[in-house]
Amino acid sequence: MNHIRLKPASLLASLALPMVAAPAMADFFADSHAKLELRNHYLNRDFRQDNAPQAKAEEWGQGFTAKLESGFTEGAVGLGVDAMGQLGIKLDSSRDRRGTGLLPYGRNSLEPADDYSELGLTAKLRASKSVLRLGTLQPLLPVVVYNDTRLLASSFQGGLLSSQEIDGLTVNAGRLTKANLRDSSSRDDIGYGAASSDGFDFAGGSYAFNPQLSLSYYYGKLEHIYRQQFVGLVHTLPLAEGLNLRSDLRYFDSRGDGAERGGQIDNRNFNASFALGVRAHKFTANLQQMSGDSAFPFLNGGDPYTVNLVTYNTYTRAGLDSWQLRYDYDFAALGVPGLSFMTRYTDGRHAKAGAIDNGRERERDTDITYVIQSGPLKNVSLRWRNVMFRSGNGLTTALDENRLIIGYTLALW
């Protein structure tokens, strides 16, 4: 797919082009749908460590994401097309407050961009219960997870085949060649850290033995950088009415591949998450253990599929053992539907980084979210997220952070 940069005035109009040129097939149009996602995001990050390059990072922006998904043409082999247009607009920022991940900035000028945009097109082909997609992709798989934590979401370019021909079995396989980061209008070669690759190949699937138990396996290879295997098990155990226990076990084995352009990769990553739901309450305990000589690798533009991925930190350094305690509450139980609360504390120790052999990282996150239930602003979500992160034993990052996020999704048809 070729990169297309759009001006704000022409972004949404361009999304209609694939539909104008599409065959006049009933299912193609009748099964199509479109939506507009709006996200207003303010982020204030106050650095507390000595000799920080910036006293704070503070930016405010408005994001628009329009998504159109067609149906398929009639017949044994159906054709379709999807389109996604993204536009981010700066509301407030400056050279000395840049770097929140909301806005791109000039490499030399360091000035945050006034706006940035992206258009992604995806061709799709369906036969039986299998679908092949070519173009812009946003996969949610253990070996590749796109990022959606700022104004605009990241995306990848490539091909993805998804199949459900056997009951209970879902199979995915594909190849990615480009990545569009969350705060960028460019499509860069797929890579990890400073190293780039010609492509990332992956395959795997999950099998549901029953509604309560599923097993997954995936394999991924970033050419000449790393190869990775994943095994996962998810089990839900109903204990009583309004009471259930969900167990999520994940294991990754990551090694170097070929020329090892990203340096030595040697990591084993075990994750375990246990969540107890008690009516409106949910109590979660997570464990994550790293072994091997390197950090846990994952694609640029993506997130690690790990239980201790939290708001600021990923807890993926070499040797880092971490745990998390989390509590969620739904205020609908008290007669306030739409209001929810979350708080968690994550602590990691024994991190290795250069000459550091026992680094420590800890983070506390608190979210309060309200979704308006009625009136002209129905379904508008309001979220306040507060973060405290500290590191020690040779690691020196310390920060306090607040995020205010307003979101709304408008169904166009």
Side-chain angles (χ1 to χ4, degrees):
M1 301 297 296
N2 294 324
H3 167 66
I4 302 173
R5 172 148 174 95
L6 298 175
K7 292 297 183 182
S10 63
L11 179 62
L12 298 180
S14 66
L15 293 179
L17 295 179
M19 294 300 291
V20 174
M25 300 285 186
D27 291 347
F28 185 94
F29 290 103
D31 294 339
S32 70
H33 56 272
K35 61 182 179 180
L36 178 64
E37 301 173 359
L38 298 92
R39 182 178 298 174
N40 187 284
H41 198 138
Y42 168 78
L43 195 156
N44 181 302
R45 182 175 294 157
D46 185 5
F47 294 100
R48 296 305 183 99
Q49 72 268 27
D50 296 333
N51 302 318
Q54 296 177 213
K56 67 177 180 178
E58 182 182 31
E59 294 183 305
W60 181 29
Q62 175 66 49
F64 301 88
T65 299
K67 293 183 178 180
L68 182 153
E69 296 184 14
S70 78
F72 291 91
T73 57
E74 298 175 349
V77 177
L79 302 176
V81 64
D82 296 340
M84 180 177 69
Q86 298 189 98
L87 169 65
I89 298 176
K90 178 181 73 176
L91 299 179
D92 182 60
S93 183
S94 65
R95 290 182 58 181
D96 60 343
R97 292 184 285 118
R98 60 182 170 78
T100 65
L102 289 181
L103 301 166
Y105 55 87
R107 179 175 299 179
N108 297 319
S109 69
L110 304 182
E111 285 290 345
D114 291 332
D115 62 80
Y116 62 113
S117 57
E118 184 78 15
L119 173 64
L121 303 176
T122 308
K124 55 188 182 181
L125 180 151
R126 183 187 65 190
S128 185
K129 296 181 180 179
S130 299
V131 178
L132 174 65
R133 292 178 170 84
L134 299 171
T136 297
L137 303 170
Q138 292 183 314
L140 284 170
L141 302 172
V143 291
V144 52
V145 180
Y146 80 96
N147 180 284
D148 190 19
T149 59
R150 295 296 192 274
L151 277 185
L152 308 181
S154 66
S155 62
F156 298 93
Q157 299 295 306
L160 170 63
L161 175 64
S162 300
S163 177
Q164 295 180 318
E165 300 294 337
I166 300 174
D167 289 345
L169 178 65
T170 300
V171 176
N172 294 286
R175 178 178 174 87
L176 306 177
T177 57
K178 300 286 183 179
N180 175 230
L181 307 188
R182 64 191 182 189
D183 57 348
S184 172
S185 290
S186 66
R187 292 190 177 124
D188 304 317
D189 288 340
I190 200 83
Y192 165 60
S196 61
S197 171
D198 292 333
F200 177 71
D201 298 304
F202 60 94
S206 62
Y207 182 73
F209 295 92
N210 54 55
Q212 288 78 41
L213 178 64
S214 65
L215 177 67
S216 301
Y217 172 81
Y218 277 87
Y219 175 83
K221 184 177 79 169
L222 185 58
E223 291 181 15
H224 296 298
I225 298 179
Y226 70 80
R227 49 192 168 87
Q228 189 173 79
Q229 296 188 77
F230 166 83
V231 178
L233 179 71
V234 177
H235 181 248
T236 301
L237 177 64
L239 300 173
E241 183 178 353
L243 182 66
N244 63 81
L245 176 65
R246 186 178 189 272
S247 303
D248 185 347
L249 306 180
R250 310 174 188 179
Y251 178 77
F252 288 90
D253 187 312
S254 305
R255 314 274 177 163
D257 180 73
E260 296 188 333
R261 296 173 184 171
Q264 181 188 25
I265 302 294
D266 175 44
N267 181 275
R268 260 68 62 205
N269 178 359
F270 174 74
N271 293 237
S273 178
F274 303 96
L276 179 65
V278 186
R279 295 182 175 83
H281 308 270
K282 186 166 73 170
F283 305 89
T284 304
N286 295 342
L287 298 173
Q288 189 169 300
Q289 183 181 53
M290 301 285 174
S291 59
D293 296 326
S294 74
F296 174 72
F298 55 95
L299 296 178
N300 293 341
D303 275 331
Y305 185 66
T306 52
V307 297
N308 282 347
L309 170 67
V310 287
T311 303
Y312 177 78
N313 199 26
T314 63
Y315 289 91
T316 54
R317 292 183 186 270
L320 186 64
D321 298 330
S322 57
W323 55 267
Q324 179 187 146
L325 293 177
R326 171 172 171 160
Y327 172 71
D328 295 77
Y329 184 74
D330 185 349
F331 282 86
L334 294 179
V336 190
L339 181 64
S340 60
F341 170 82
M342 183 280 294
T343 189
R344 63 190 170 199
Y345 178 81
T346 311
D347 190 293
R349 306 190 184 201
H350 316 306
K352 299 177 183 179
I356 299 169
D357 192 52
N358 190 29
R360 183 183 179 188
E361 298 177 322
R362 51 194 175 93
E363 178 171 335
R364 189 266 307 143
D365 304 321
T366 301
D367 277 19
I368 298 177
T369 304
Y370 180 65
V371 179
I372 298 175
Q373 300 294 294
S374 61
L377 297 180
K378 183 179 179 180
N379 295 326
V380 172
S381 66
L382 311 171
R383 173 175 294 183
W384 170 51
R385 172 169 289 173
N386 178 262
V387 178
M388 180 278 295
F389 177 81
R390 299 290 187 272
S391 62
N393 295 351
L395 302 175
T396 59
T397 301
L399 60 87
D400 296 329
E401 183 178 289
N402 284 285
R403 304 185 188 190
L404 300 175
I405 307 166
I406 302 173
Y408 180 70
T409 299
L410 173 66
L412 301 178
W413 69 79

